[in-house]
Amino acid sequence: MRKNLLYIASVLFLFSFVSCQNNGHIGWIFGVWRVAEYSVNGQPQSSNLQSTTTFAFQNNIVQVVAYIDDYNTDISRYGTWQQDGDEFTFNFTHHDDATGQGEGLYAAPEWLGMTSAEPMHMTIISQTDDKFSLEWTDAAGSRIIYKFEKTW
């Protein structure tokens, strides 16, 4: 019995050193953020997908998930992100052996007006602990604003 307790205590002790944040703490952006609002040239856009879309940030990876129905059917997309001061960049131009550049799981979430043609350089226009907003001008010259709220 004492041997089993020692084993369990050792395992728990070792687990206390494991980072659940994949390459350390990445700051305020770590976690899951819901798209609260998306507007183009000041006009709010709405769709069933936009209202159920979340962005999950861990390390330099972003996972975008939009739930389609009540059965947890979803569309998932993966890209990378980078922040340099007030500049925030999403990159959905990645590929693998079976999937072309910016296609399939690596495609940008087109239901939010994003593109896989090139990295998207956005500006952080506001940021608090539980909300932030990004502004981006697309190739057509449209001013797009994304507002996010933290879910956890």
Side-chain angles (χ1 to χ4, degrees), residues 107-124:
E110 68 279 352
W111 62 93
L112 295 175
M114 293 185 170
T115 180
S116 295
E118 61 187 8
M120 295 167 288
H121 302 284
M122 302 183 181
T123 302
I124 299 172

Side-chain angles (χ1 to χ4, degrees), residues 78-80 90-95 100-103 106-108 115-119:
Y78 295 89
T80 55
F90 284 114
N91 186 347
F92 291 98
T93 63
H94 304 288
H95 64 89
Q101 183 173 339
E103 297 177 357
Y106 303 109
T115 180
S116 295
E118 61 187 8

Side-chain angles (χ1 to χ4, degrees), residues 89-149:
T89 303
F90 284 114
N91 186 347
F92 291 98
T93 63
H94 304 288
H95 64 89
D96 60 29
D97 291 340
T99 308
Q101 183 173 339
E103 297 177 357
L105 287 174
Y106 303 109
E110 68 279 352
W111 62 93
L112 295 175
M114 293 185 170
T115 180
S116 295
E118 61 187 8
M120 295 167 288
H121 302 284
M122 302 183 181
T123 302
I124 299 172
I125 55 176
S126 68
Q127 174 196 342
T128 65
D129 289 341
D130 60 349
K131 295 179 183 180
F132 78 101
S133 299
L134 297 174
E135 180 179 51
W136 173 55
T137 302
D138 68 9
S142 298
R143 181 175 168 250
I144 301 173
I145 295 179
Y146 302 97
K147 294 184 179 181
F148 297 89
E149 294 178 351

